[in-house]
Amino acid sequence: MDTKRFRVVGVRDEDADDYHLYVTNLSREEFFPADLAQIYRCRWEVELLFRELKTQYDLDEFDTSNEHVVKILLYAALLSLLVSRDLLDLVTEQADDELVFPRNAGRRPSGRTPSSSSTNSVSTSVIRHRRCWSG
């Protein structure tokens, strides 16, 4: 019988006043709790990236079995994603958030926005993106 050893690591999230628990087989000596939190945060970013590619760029199904066409579609989607994120970063760095993402934009007659808070989700996404990929 093959036995596997895992450890459960809890890392306090000061913003949420809560703990995040991680199950890992990475060694205690090499990977401190803060390291594990960063690794899993980046792993989650990869999951979100694939989700975005599948939903926003329709990469969940292909209408072709031609390998070259599939590669072209993947590269086009990745380039579009990179350019859109760079443009969003540039816009958010250069402009006041209120000018770029006005609070009253997209309001329905009831006073609610189409999504609960598109401004916050976009800004949060950019911040997470920078933390994970900027090293």
Side-chain angles (χ1 to χ4, degrees), residues 97-106 119:
D97 279 346
E98 184 63 26
L99 291 173
V100 177
F101 304 109
R103 293 178 196 262
N104 295 328
T119 302

Side-chain angles (χ1 to χ4, degrees), residues 12-18 131:
R12 183 165 166 72
D13 181 358
E14 299 290 334
D15 295 334
D17 192 30
D18 199 8
R131 261 193 299 194

Side-chain angles (χ1 to χ4, degrees), residues 12 32 35 49 54 58 60 79 89 101 108 117 130:
R12 183 165 166 72
F32 296 108
D35 299 330
L49 173 71
K54 286 169 39 175
D58 294 326
D60 53 341
L79 286 171
D89 285 349
F101 304 109
R108 294 182 178 172
S117 177
R130 285 183 185 149

